[in-house]
Amino acid sequence: MGAKLRVLVVEDDPGTRTLLAAALTRLPGVELCAAAADGLEGLELLERLHPDAVLLDLIMPCLDGLGFLRALDRKRRPVVVVTSQASNQALIRHALSLGASYYLVKPLNFQTLPPLLEGLCLQPLVQRGVDLLEAMGARGRGVWAAARAAAVLARDETALLKQAYAPTIAAEQTNYAGVEKNIRAMVDKLHQAASPGYLALLGECPAARPNNLAFLQALARALRESN
């Protein structure tokens, strides 16, 4: 995708912080926006920089990772991936219950970070897309396919359809034509029903059914406005 994910590192160990920063700058699709040495500094940088994702250590001075999670606004929090040497299951469950999106036990496999972070960052947008579509009366496999595609377009307006369809192709082990067909069938039914939600999304009821790209771009705009 064209829009890089902006990542904040919150890690007290200088060596690990340097290693993470160096690794992130080499990864495709990821941009290091800042690195903090403790939870308090992390919260300050979060408020100022609004990153897409946070890589969060748990054991830190001043404010530890659990305290950092407690301090986050539940409605406006970014994706938070805990990175810790601690593998205690009770601790992992506690971190997730406080709102962590994922928990990785160190040492990290840096090559897996871009797809992991991308998938996690898209999830809230995808769910909002599903909610919007179902409120219009949409049903079937095209709902999730359209929501995933619109989420990609909401994050990157320059993305091509093949990029927008990629998450569904991977998730459902299908192909471009299959995704295109499912979304087209869903939009056909929405256009015929012309529900108030559908009309509101498009601004008016077009004489002909919009093509998939036009419909997904309209849905993507709605997702950006609701973000």
Side-chain angles (χ1 to χ4, degrees):
M1 293 176 64
K4 288 189 174 184
L5 289 169
R6 300 173 62 254
V7 180
L8 168 66
V9 171
V10 185
E11 165 67 57
D12 71 310
D13 180 73
T16 303
R17 195 164 61 248
T18 300
L19 181 63
L20 273 171
L24 288 173
T25 57
R26 294 193 299 267
L27 292 176
V30 173
E31 173 186 332
L32 175 69
C33 66
D38 59 60
L40 287 177
E41 184 184 7
L43 289 174
E44 293 172 2
L45 290 170
L46 183 71
E47 183 67 24
R48 181 155 52 90
L49 301 175
H50 305 290
D52 298 302
V54 178
L55 294 182
L56 176 69
D57 189 24
L58 281 187
I59 303 173
M60 297 182 292
C62 300
L63 183 69
D64 65 11
L66 297 178
F68 180 94
L69 288 168
R70 291 189 190 96
L72 293 181
D73 184 331
R74 288 265 176 177
K75 295 182 179 179
R76 299 177 54 226
R77 70 173 55 208
V79 163
V80 179
V81 176
V82 172
T83 61
S84 176
Q85 291 180 335
S87 58
N88 179 278
Q89 290 301 309
L91 180 61
I92 292 174
R93 287 194 296 270
H94 188 40
L96 295 174
S97 74
L98 290 175
S101 309
Y102 208 81
Y103 194 109
L104 291 174
V105 178
K106 296 174 181 176
L108 304 180
N109 180 349
F110 293 114
Q111 297 306 314
T112 66
L113 283 177
L116 171 64
L117 293 173
E118 186 63 57
L120 292 171
C121 287
L122 285 180
Q123 280 180 7
L125 285 174
V126 172
Q127 187 57 59
R128 283 202 290 275
V130 169
D131 292 343
L132 283 172
L133 290 168
E134 290 183 342
M136 296 177 208
R139 299 293 183 269
R141 298 180 68 180
V143 172
W144 281 94
R148 293 187 190 106
V152 172
L153 293 170
R155 276 196 40 78
D156 181 5
E157 296 179 63
T158 67
L160 304 174
L161 273 183
K162 65 179 181 180
Q163 295 169 295
Y165 290 172
T168 297
I169 291 172
E172 300 184 4
Q173 296 297 293
T174 184
N175 54 37
Y176 183 100
V179 178
E180 180 84 358
K181 178 182 177 181
N182 287 334
I183 294 176
R184 185 186 303 118
M186 182 201 71
V187 177
D188 277 339
K189 293 178 181 178
L190 287 176
H191 186 73
Q192 291 169 13
S195 69
Y198 177 79
L199 299 179
L201 181 73
L202 297 176
E204 60 182 16
C205 188
R209 183 195 76 85
N211 62 37
N212 282 8
L213 179 59
F215 178 82
L216 293 172
Q217 287 174 333
L219 186 57
R221 285 194 295 272
L223 293 179
R224 281 195 296 271
E225 290 169 1
S226 69
N227 194 11

